Amino acid sequence: PQKIDVFELLKVIKEKQFIFYTGAGISATGNVATMSKLEESMHMQEGLLHFLKIMLLNPQILAHTFEKFCKSCIDAEPTPAHKALHEIAQQRPCAIITENVDLLHQKAHSMPLHGSSSELHAVTLDEIKEIDIIICIGLSHDDRGILQHFKKHNSDITIVAIDIGNPNYLSE
């Protein structure tokens, strides 16, 4: 991986065919927890047996935690990043794909494709070959294998990651 600056990214947006692919990090600056935070609060990283023990002995703790997460998704407002993506998509034809279930893209008036949507699976190989760049924002993992699928059918696609850390898919 190599770093690019904001001016190089602007040049990409002006000159190339691109799509956006977002993950929990785009919403995390708001009030919505990332999936790793949700898993942590539900004690999932402590192992399946520990999680099942809590579920059997004290299910209301997990139910309350999950309810709190769902409420944060419903009550949250789009971040400046959601709004900026909507503005860019109004000026340049591009798709927004998301892994998120928080509906913040929709609240920002975008109509993203969800990572598991049938519309995304209907993208043709010719359409994939037209894409120059996938700009990933707040996506730490390619959980659905979308990047891998696009790279498999268009080895010339460049992946740009806008994230706090170094996402694991960049090494792939």
Side-chain angles (χ1 to χ4, degrees):
Q2 64 184 35
K3 292 188 178 198
I4 64 171
D5 63 28
V6 70
F7 299 108
E8 291 173 278
L9 182 58
L10 286 172
K11 185 176 178 182
V12 164
I13 290 172
K14 288 179 181 178
E15 298 175 1
K16 303 287 186 176
Q17 295 299 319
F18 63 93
I19 60 175
F20 289 112
Y21 184 19
T22 67
I26 196 171
S27 302
T29 58
N31 297 321
V32 179
T34 62
M35 290 309 290
S36 58
K37 288 288 184 190
L38 175 63
E39 290 171 1
E40 179 183 323
S41 66
M42 294 187 73
H43 308 280
M44 296 173 103
Q45 79 281 14
E46 296 170 38
L48 181 61
L49 290 177
H50 183 75
F51 176 74
L52 291 173
K53 182 178 176 182
I54 293 173
M55 184 185 287
L56 292 171
L57 298 177
N58 210 348
Q60 65 274 18
I61 289 175
L62 296 179
H64 176 71
T65 299
F66 191 68
E67 178 184 11
K68 202 166 126 181
F69 171 76
C70 291
K71 185 168 176 19
S72 75
C73 289
I74 292 166
D75 293 344
E77 291 298 320
T79 65
H82 291 100
K83 294 173 185 175
L85 291 188
H86 175 70
E87 291 298 318
I88 292 168
Q90 294 300 301
Q91 295 180 27
R92 287 281 326 264
C94 66
I96 299 172
I97 302 169
T98 189
E99 295 268 325
N100 299 345
V101 295
D102 57 25
L103 302 178
L104 293 180
H105 283 295
Q106 289 85 341
K107 285 183 180 180
H109 308 291
S110 294
M111 294 304 295
L113 299 171
H114 193 270
S116 60
S117 72
S118 58
E119 292 94 356
L120 185 57
H121 293 289
V123 173
T124 68
L125 296 181
D126 288 338
E127 291 170 323
I128 290 174
K129 289 178 181 171
E130 291 177 13
I131 299 167
D132 299 310
I133 307 227
I134 301 175
I135 302 171
C136 303
I137 303 172
L139 182 75
S140 60
H141 305 336
D142 182 24
D143 293 331
R144 307 243 185 245
I146 292 168
L147 296 174
Q148 183 180 11
H149 176 74
F150 277 68
K151 277 295 249 187
K152 177 182 174 185
H153 297 292
N154 181 352
S155 60
D156 293 330
I157 284 181
T158 299
I159 297 171
V160 174
I162 301 172
D163 204 291
I164 292 171
N166 189 14
N168 70 350
Y169 53 82
L170 288 182
S171 65
E172 299 168 7

